[in-house]
């Protein structure tokens, strides 16, 4: 989820810098062995002015990686870097890896905008990018931008290459053939084919998070959901509340009542039409009749997490009304009252409780303190 959001920020920054004719470079995590703070695909973009976007560690590697990136931006020669955490997990944390592990990075100059990436990200379409890695895991590669190809994961194999080349027609054909399988795996990483080593980056659209209601307490919910990496939309029937100055950042604003929401959910060509079992919605207009209407529309859609703000008894009244109308509700998708039980006081804390619950549901984890977890925090249990 962060991968998608961060890639959007990095691609946008690179395009802006190139438009200003400012030299820039991109550092990408291409392999993690053991456990590390960030995973394959994490990015840090740097320009010749020293400005940077993104990160590749918990923060402590960034100073060194920025220096390498500045050198690459100036020289125009790509480099590989390896950072080792060693056997001491505490020392590895101090280094910035977050825990014991080895992190390999590709640092490359960027000379042209990544237009295929930008278009896919803007349209919310997942894609695969394959980059041919040269040389050893440490040192200059002796070349400028490595060969890279952007592929669409679906459709006819012959049309999967959207942009670029790996420098070899046979290797391009392999990438086109494997794109769908790479995308289905959902994992970025190193792929070896013959004597060619590829870094395959899989970008799957982040889940959508729909905030129904644009009142004052919806503002921090939308901001936190967007900052966390959700593709966030605020829906309300009241246009005055849908002011851009109230909802800054990467938040889409949609005006509409419950009937309009139902239409949006039912039409894949319209905003929100792609909501599915992996997406999230929270109803919080503070108007009983409108909340009930919006809730009915959401429960009739495939969206997997439907939250309702307010006391349990209030939601139960809505459900009782639905039952009298003959509406069958899958209550396993309903989170009411919405949010984790963390003892909230104020809109900002309520927002934390709501978004934290959504993250836990998405990860399939029972919310608890990390001190209760026996295995490493980045490892599967």
């Amino acid at each position: 989820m962060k991968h998608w959001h961060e890639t959007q920020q990095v691609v946008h920054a690179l395009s802006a810098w190139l438009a200003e004719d400012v030299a820039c470079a991109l550092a990408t995590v291409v392999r993690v062995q053991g456990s590390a703070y960030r995973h394959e695909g994490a990015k840090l973009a740097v320009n010749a002015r020293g400005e940077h976007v993104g990160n590749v560690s918990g923060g402590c590697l960034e100073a060194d990686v920025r220096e390498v990136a500045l050198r690459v931006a100036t020289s125009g020669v790509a480099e590989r870097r390896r950072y080792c955490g060693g056997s001491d997990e505490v020392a590895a944390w101090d280094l910035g890896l977050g825990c014991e592990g080895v992190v390999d990075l590709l640092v490359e100059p960027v000379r042209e905008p990544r237009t295929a990436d930008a278009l896919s990200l803007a349209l919310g379409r997942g894609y695969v990018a394959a980059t041919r890695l040269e040389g050893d895991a440490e040192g200059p590669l002796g070349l400028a931008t490595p060969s890279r190809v952007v592929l669409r994961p679906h459709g006819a194999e012959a049309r999967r290459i959207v942009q670029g080349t790996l420098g070899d027609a046979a290797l391009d054909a392999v990438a086109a053939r494997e794109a769908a399988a790479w995308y289905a795996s959902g994992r970025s990483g190193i792929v070896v084919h013959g004597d060619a080593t590829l870094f395959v980056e899989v970008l799957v659209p982040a889940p959508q998070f729909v905030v129904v209601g644009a009142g004052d307490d919806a503002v921090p919910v939308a901001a936190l959901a967007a900052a966390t990496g959700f593709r966030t939309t605020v829906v309300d029937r009241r246009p005055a509340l849908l002011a851009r100055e109230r909802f800054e950042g990467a938040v889409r604003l949609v005006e509409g009542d419950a009937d309009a929401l139902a239409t949006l959910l039912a039409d894949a060509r319209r905003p929100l039409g792609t909501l599915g079992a992996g997406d999230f919605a929270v109803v919080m207009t503070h108007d009983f009749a409108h909340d009930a209407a919006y809730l009915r529309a959401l429960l009739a859609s495939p969206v997997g997490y439907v939250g309702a703000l307010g006391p349990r008894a209030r939601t139960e009244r809505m459900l009782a009304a639905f039952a009298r109308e003959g509406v069958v509700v899958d209550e396993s998708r309903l989170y009411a009252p919405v949010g984790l039980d963390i003892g909230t006081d104020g809109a900002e804390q309520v927002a934390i409780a709501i978004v934290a619950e959504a993250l836990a549901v998405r990860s399939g984890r029972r919310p608890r303190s990390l001190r209760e977890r026996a295995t490493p925090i980045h490892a599967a249990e």
Side-chain angles (χ1 to χ4, degrees):
M1 189 164 72
K2 182 176 175 63
H3 186 197
W4 182 270
H5 182 56
E6 179 179 74
T7 301
Q8 283 183 307
Q9 295 176 318
V10 165
V11 168
H12 177 76
L14 290 171
S15 295
W17 296 337
L18 290 169
E20 298 174 25
D21 199 26
V22 179
C24 49
L26 175 65
T28 305
V29 175
V30 297
R31 174 159 38 199
V32 173
Q33 301 174 67
S35 183
Y37 195 91
R38 296 299 309 277
H39 302 290
E40 288 87 349
K43 299 175 180 66
L44 174 67
V46 178
N47 70 21
R49 296 190 297 237
E51 299 166 331
H52 55 91
V53 174
N55 65 76
V56 292
S57 75
C60 295
L61 282 187
E62 266 62 21
D64 186 75
V65 176
R66 282 198 297 269
E67 289 299 317
V68 175
L70 282 169
R71 180 169 67 242
V72 167
T74 302
S75 70
V77 177
E79 297 188 23
R80 297 272 298 277
R81 300 289 291 181
R82 170 167 287 178
Y83 296 89
C84 302
S87 59
D88 184 343
E89 186 167 347
V90 175
W93 175 269
D94 292 338
L95 177 64
L97 298 180
C99 37
E100 182 179 350
V102 178
V103 178
D104 290 342
L105 290 96
L106 170 66
V107 187
E108 57 183 307
V110 179
R111 295 289 183 259
E112 297 179 354
R114 298 195 164 188
T115 54
D117 300 61
L119 181 60
S120 297
L121 291 162
L123 296 176
R125 295 174 181 169
Y127 65 102
V128 177
T131 303
R132 189 167 185 175
L133 301 179
E134 309 282 355
D136 299 323
E138 191 73 39
L141 302 186
L143 73 161
T145 305
S147 301
R148 179 176 187 266
V149 65
V150 178
L151 308 120
R152 42 171 80 89
H154 312 297
E157 180 181 314
R159 300 180 58 192
R160 283 185 181 155
I161 295 180
V162 177
Q163 185 180 66
T165 176
L166 293 170
D168 181 287
L171 201 53
D172 285 346
V174 169
R177 185 173 66 248
E178 297 296 325
W182 289 339
Y183 187 79
S185 76
R187 296 189 300 271
S188 300
I190 299 293
V191 172
V192 177
H193 182 81
D195 60 356
T197 300
L198 306 177
F199 169 59
V200 173
E201 184 178 9
V202 177
L203 289 109
V204 179
Q208 295 199 65
F209 194 110
V210 180
V211 182
V212 180
D216 290 346
D217 58 347
V219 174
V221 175
L224 185 56
T228 306
F230 288 101
R231 291 182 292 149
T232 306
T233 301
V234 177
V235 178
D236 203 298
R237 71 191 189 282
R238 300 162 291 186
L241 294 180
L242 292 170
R244 173 50 61 187
E245 58 268 22
R246 301 185 71 237
F247 294 95
E248 299 178 353
V251 178
R252 182 171 55 181
L253 305 177
V254 175
E255 180 185 346
D257 59 13
D259 290 337
L261 177 61
T263 300
L264 293 174
L265 292 168
D267 189 344
R269 296 169 300 177
R270 296 174 178 270
L272 309 184
T274 56
L275 249 75
D279 294 312
F280 299 78
V282 176
V283 177
M284 49 189 306
T285 73
H286 296 278
D287 180 289
F288 183 87
H290 287 288
D291 274 359
Y294 282 122
L295 188 63
R296 183 188 294 106
L298 286 165
L299 289 172
S301 78
V303 64
Y305 172 106
V306 180
L309 190 70
R312 187 186 311 277
R314 182 175 185 268
T315 304
E316 289 177 347
R317 285 173 55 203
M318 297 180 190
L319 295 177
F322 298 164
R324 288 193 297 271
E325 298 167 6
V327 177
V328 178
V329 173
D330 177 8
E331 293 190 34
S332 67
R333 298 187 292 132
L334 180 60
Y335 291 78
V338 67
L340 298 183
D341 182 12
I342 58 175
T344 58
D345 180 18
E348 292 77 13
Q349 294 180 24
V350 170
I352 291 170
I354 291 172
V355 177
E357 181 179 63
L359 290 170
V361 169
R362 181 178 181 273
S363 301
R365 294 187 179 182
R366 178 181 65 84
R368 59 181 173 177
S369 296
L370 284 175
R371 69 176 182 177
E372 299 177 31
R373 185 178 175 88
T375 56
I377 60 176
H378 298 297
E381 290 189 287

